[in-house]
Amino acid sequence: MPDPVTDGSELSQIGSAWVLSDGKAGDENQCIAVAEALDVPYEIRRVSPRAPFVWLMPRGPIDPREGPSRPQSPVRPPYPDLVIASGRRAVPYLRHVRRESAGRTMTVFLKDPHTGPETADFIWVPEHDPLRGPNVLATPTPPHRFSAERLRRLRRSPPPEIARLEKPRVAILVGGDSRHHRFTDYDVESFGHALEHLGETSRLMITLSRRTPALLADRISRLAAGGPHLLWDGTGDNPLAAYLANAEAVVVTADSTNMVGEAAATGRPVLVYEPSGGHRKISVFLEKMSALGVTRPFAGRLETYRYEPINSTPVIAEEIRRRFQAGRNA
């Protein structure tokens, strides 16, 4: 990204930020990832609108119970230099900050707010979303917290339980039922059988999701218990970054574009299993990842190929920094 033109004045620094969401992990973690990439101190502000206000979102007003005069309001001033928001429920609160700060706070929204590009000063969307505009940046993958330096550090010093595993090691990122995908009995049998076949020659490092159906979770748990594999049980710190850093390949289910995007940061093969269902946007995303040499279908075996790791997080952060500085120097 080119450096901004500053007409000789000192570059403005982002001194403070809010991460604004309803607490949904996927949305909040993306916002945190961008704040971390900007190296800016941030506060997490969570919205909790009641009915009927939540029914009107993202187009309606904020819940008056969370208005700026209330002590526990998520938008109580003083306002920071930057607000990074995501999620339908956060949209009215971000609009409120943008209006009340009179432009002093730069507002950023991650993903399509479904209220138009004028919702925020800057909007990021994945390339498979159609929203475009002069303040919109589209990238192939979503932001995440798995920076190149973090992955390098975990490769140099893996946790003991990973260091003890023989190679090849494969990270297994299992999602679950979603709005667009469903793990049928056939999918559980097909995916489970493919993992069992892979586990005969590789050591598996497995994470499940809250969305993973019980039948699939049970099948995978029995597989993990029957061999020298790792299965995160949801307690303690999430080992996903360490799994990704120390894997020769990654198997991921197609119900989550976030998981595929995170795996793409490794530069290692990303093998995708598609459960029943699907959606046009997800298909477009997977086609793009395949065209970039990132993904191939999971066929129950280890594959070895390389591509340049893809991490859109620093690209998004640099564009925010550039626009922030340009606005301060205008």
Side-chain angles (χ1 to χ4, degrees):
M1 198 70 63
D3 291 331
V5 178
T6 64
D7 69 1
S9 61
E10 185 177 337
L11 293 181
S12 300
Q13 298 298 316
I14 305 174
S16 59
W18 289 352
V19 164
L20 188 66
S21 78
D22 66 0
K24 182 180 176 183
D27 292 334
E28 189 167 281
N29 283 336
Q30 287 186 351
C31 296
I32 291 173
V34 173
E36 290 176 342
L38 287 165
D39 195 24
V40 58
Y42 63 88
E43 294 180 37
I44 294 177
R45 300 282 185 111
R46 291 179 178 150
V47 306
S48 301
R50 305 162 297 172
F53 303 100
V54 70
W55 302 339
L56 304 174
M57 294 177 177
R59 299 190 178 277
I62 67 173
D63 183 342
R65 185 188 62 175
E66 297 188 316
S69 63
R70 300 298 181 94
Q72 301 303 316
S73 170
V75 290
R76 185 177 176 85
Y79 298 120
D81 292 334
L82 175 69
V83 177
I84 308 169
S86 188
R88 175 179 66 90
R89 292 174 174 146
V91 172
Y93 296 83
L94 187 70
R95 286 200 308 261
H96 174 89
V97 172
R98 190 183 191 201
R99 181 178 65 251
E100 294 302 312
S101 70
R104 292 186 298 275
T105 295
M106 180 179 178
T107 53
V108 170
F109 196 83
L110 304 182
K111 295 187 290 193
D112 187 348
H114 299 289
T115 49
E118 67 279 358
T119 299
D121 297 306
F122 173 77
I123 295 173
W124 165 82
V125 295
E127 286 182 354
H128 56 269
D129 273 2
L131 182 68
R132 295 294 183 271
N135 63 327
V136 177
L137 173 69
T139 64
T141 58
H144 55 71
R145 304 177 71 181
F146 306 123
S147 67
E149 176 53 35
R150 184 182 184 190
L151 295 177
R152 280 193 296 268
R153 185 170 65 250
L154 288 166
R155 287 189 188 114
R156 288 194 299 264
S157 300
E161 64 273 17
I162 294 178
R164 288 192 292 266
L165 285 184
E166 296 180 2
K167 296 182 179 181
R169 308 175 188 125
V170 181
I172 313 295
L173 281 56
V174 184
D177 295 339
S178 67
R179 184 167 46 169
H180 302 300
H181 287 94
R182 182 76 46 186
F183 279 83
T184 64
D185 289 349
Y186 170 82
D187 292 317
V188 171
E189 177 61 27
S190 173
F191 186 46
H193 180 74
L195 288 178
E196 289 168 354
H197 186 69
L198 177 64
E200 294 173 359
T201 57
S202 304
R203 303 297 177 253
L204 310 184
M205 303 178 292
I206 309 167
T207 65
L208 304 180
S209 164
R210 288 185 298 250
R211 296 182 290 104
T212 305
L215 190 63
L216 179 58
D218 181 67
R219 177 74 178 266
I220 291 174
S221 297
R222 286 187 280 110
L223 166 62
H229 310 302
L230 295 177
L231 172 64
W232 183 50
D233 63 4
T235 62
D237 293 336
N238 190 329
L240 178 56
Y243 286 3
L244 290 175
N246 291 281
E248 275 68 57
V250 183
V251 173
V252 59
T253 57
D255 52 281
S256 171
T257 57
N258 284 347
M259 293 194 307
V260 176
E262 290 163 353
T266 65
R268 306 293 168 83
V270 180
L271 309 175
V272 179
Y273 179 83
E274 295 192 56
S276 296
H279 188 274
R280 183 188 62 81
K281 287 184 179 180
I282 296 175
S283 297
V284 170
F285 169 74
L286 293 174
E287 288 167 5
K288 175 71 172 182
M289 290 295 99
S290 177
L292 291 171
V294 175
T295 62
R296 294 180 186 176
F298 176 47
R301 62 178 181 271
L302 179 65
E303 299 194 34
T304 56
Y305 58 90
R306 290 290 185 269
Y307 54 89
E308 189 66 25
I310 300 175
N311 185 354
S312 299
T313 313
V315 177
I316 298 166
E318 182 56 32
E319 183 64 10
I320 292 171
R321 184 180 290 110
R322 185 186 73 82
R323 288 173 180 265
F324 179 86
Q325 291 171 348
R328 291 301 187 267
N329 291 320

